[in-house]
Amino acid sequence: MANRRSVDLALQGGGSHGAFTWGVLDALLEDGRLSFDGVSGTSAGAMNAAVLAVGLARGGPDEARRSLAAFWAEIGGTPACFARVGMPGGDAPAWPAFLFNTELWGPGAMWWDAWTRWFSPFQFNPLNLNPLKDILERHVDVALLRQGPLKLFVTATAVKTGQARVFTGGDLSVEALLASACLPQLFQAVQIDGEAYWDGGYSGNPALWPLVYGTESDDVVLVQINPLERDRLPLTAMEIADRLNEITFNASLVGELRAIAFVQRLLREQRVDRSRYKEMRLHRIADEAGLSAYGASSKLNSDPRLLQSLFGLGRQAGEAWLAAHFEAIGHRGTVEIDDTFLSKRRTRKVGGEGAAKALDEAEQTVHSSAAAAKISAASPRRAASAAAASPRRNAPRR
């Protein structure tokens, strides 16, 4: 297609809510006007990315759509896929088609929540049973994953250090995907080369810096499934836990975006050499209003009716984004980081323009330093150019 434009994809994790991302990808693939240079994914985002990469390697966009549909169909046919493996009494009851909020589960959900607080997966699942592993082995050809045309970056969190580990190239494996999705309350830590890993959402959901360093495209499309805001104050213990889950799994992303916004400001003010730094054009596909009906704990439920509902929301979001923003690809970003992620407007209302500016600059310095430290730890050779997560264009690839 003559008008095809290249982008990177950044796919958030979120258990069953990854079906929303499946819908988005299906819309983008069907449209056919985008090509993908690289994709960074965490947890369910990493699984979507892996199945996408294998499908593209096997037969292009149509095969990728079929592969994603087959993968999620098997997820929907496996009730214990994202949680409750090996629990006494089996899985939680399937939800009615019209009820998707956790608080409507009743005593069963509260019993499960209490159980996971008292017992670890090393105790209630000593055999480390994980049906997700079998599904991934059937749907992900590791050789194609490593050698295919799509650059893939999968993030997990090292238990010992708390740092992000990005698997790419020859390091990619089914175990890396499982590590990226390993919620420590539900699954035993995944061991890879003597290191233990938990869910990548704690350190990068998804990690953006591999796309900054490892691809040519300047356009990044973020598919976000964890709401940034909730209008209603959480009151019950389960609602509070759900909101903490959302905040925790957005924190690393917001930190990276703060650093990127800082570099964008320097580039706009011509305070750095444009030839040495990559000016990321950020785009975002999300549906916070649509996803607000689904509590965070619904991420553990693989009822096929829930997955199809989320897929439909993702399709609509993807189609709407293409209609509104496709022409911007290659020219400008369609998300203002400050306004969307950093809540500057609310800060200004409280402290005034001068106070807000000083606070912003102080916060940018702190968070950009933290981002640089994270990048430095993962790739020491790039420490000198890693400030605020903006690389030299000719930086060495991982």
Side-chain angles (χ1 to χ4, degrees):
M1 185 177 290
N3 197 30
R4 291 191 94 191
R5 302 186 185 185
S6 176
V7 300
D8 291 331
L9 294 173
L11 309 182
Q12 271 201 327
S16 294
H17 289 199
F20 176 89
T21 302
W22 163 37
V24 170
L25 294 176
D26 191 74
L28 300 186
L29 290 165
E30 183 182 51
D31 181 81
R33 289 180 292 169
L34 293 178
S35 63
F36 307 126
D37 185 11
V39 56
S40 178
T42 295
S43 192
M47 295 175 203
N48 275 318
V51 176
L52 169 69
V54 170
L56 289 174
R58 282 176 173 160
D62 289 340
E63 179 60 30
R65 292 180 68 199
R66 286 191 289 268
S67 298
L68 285 162
F71 172 75
W72 282 99
E74 189 161 358
I75 293 290
T78 310
C81 189
F82 285 113
R84 303 177 182 85
V85 182
M87 283 295 297
D91 301 320
W95 290 359
F98 58 90
L99 298 179
F100 294 119
N101 280 316
T102 306
E103 57 265 27
L104 299 173
W105 284 15
M110 291 186 286
W111 176 83
W112 164 252
D113 182 68
W115 181 278
T116 57
R117 291 174 188 272
W118 284 100
F119 299 97
S120 85
F122 292 90
Q123 295 170 307
F124 65 70
N125 184 19
L127 298 180
N128 201 20
L129 302 175
N130 191 341
L132 189 56
K133 180 178 181 180
D134 296 332
I135 295 175
L136 286 170
E137 287 176 343
R138 285 191 287 272
H139 291 270
V140 175
D141 184 321
V142 175
L144 290 178
L145 199 65
R146 294 173 174 177
Q147 301 168 11
L150 186 59
K151 304 179 188 75
L152 180 60
F153 307 95
V154 171
T155 302
T157 302
V159 177
K160 184 185 297 183
T161 65
Q163 296 294 312
R165 163 76 187 275
V166 176
F167 296 87
T168 190
D171 291 334
L172 292 167
S173 64
V174 168
E175 287 71 25
L177 296 173
L178 291 172
S180 185
C182 180
L183 289 171
Q185 301 91 345
L186 305 177
F187 301 105
Q188 295 184 24
V190 177
Q191 301 283 336
I192 300 176
D193 297 331
E195 285 286 337
Y197 294 96
W198 282 338
D199 196 294
Y202 297 111
S203 56
N205 192 23
L208 298 181
W209 61 265
L211 300 176
V212 176
Y213 284 110
T215 72
E216 297 298 327
S217 177
D218 289 342
D219 289 88
V220 175
V221 179
L222 168 67
V223 182
Q224 188 171 9
I225 58 180
N226 291 297
L228 289 168
E229 296 186 5
R230 291 279 188 181
D231 292 332
R232 189 167 66 89
L233 179 68
L235 300 176
T236 69
M238 195 164 292
E239 288 174 343
I240 293 170
D242 279 359
R243 186 58 185 145
L244 284 172
N245 174 285
E246 291 170 346
I247 292 171
T248 299
F249 277 67
N250 274 326
S252 57
L253 173 66
V254 171
E256 280 198 84
L257 287 171
R258 186 181 297 275
I260 290 168
F262 178 58
V263 170
Q264 289 180 339
R265 182 191 301 179
L266 295 179
L267 288 168
R268 288 194 301 267
E269 295 173 356
Q270 299 183 346
R271 295 168 62 184
V272 294
D273 183 353
R274 282 184 173 271
S275 66
R276 298 177 58 200
Y277 291 88
K278 184 174 183 177
E279 184 172 10
M280 179 183 290
R281 295 186 289 265
L282 182 67
H283 313 271
R284 175 178 178 248
I285 302 178
D287 183 1
E288 295 208 14
L291 288 172
S292 65
Y294 304 83
S297 295
S298 66
K299 296 173 182 179
L300 305 181
N301 187 285
S302 55
D303 188 304
R305 294 164 293 184
L306 171 63
L307 301 184
Q308 285 298 320
S309 295
L310 291 165
F311 170 80
L313 286 178
R315 279 276 312 186
Q316 293 173 13
E319 291 168 354
W321 179 82
L322 284 166
H325 298 302
F326 174 78
E327 293 301 329
I329 298 292
H331 301 289
R332 64 185 184 279
T334 56
V335 172
E336 180 59 48
I337 295 176
D338 287 346
D339 291 341
T340 303
F341 294 95
L342 305 184
S343 302
K344 286 182 69 174
R345 289 175 181 170
R346 287 191 294 277
T347 302
R348 285 173 179 161
K349 288 180 182 178
V350 174
E353 290 286 345
K357 182 177 180 181
L359 179 60
D360 286 342
E361 290 176 353
E363 289 182 341
Q364 297 285 11
T365 301
V366 171
H367 286 278
S368 62
S369 298
K374 181 189 294 184
I375 295 170
S376 174
S379 182
R381 292 176 296 172
R382 303 195 185 103
S385 63
S390 289
R392 303 171 190 266
R393 287 186 176 275
N394 61 353
R397 300 287 174 83
R398 284 183 66 88

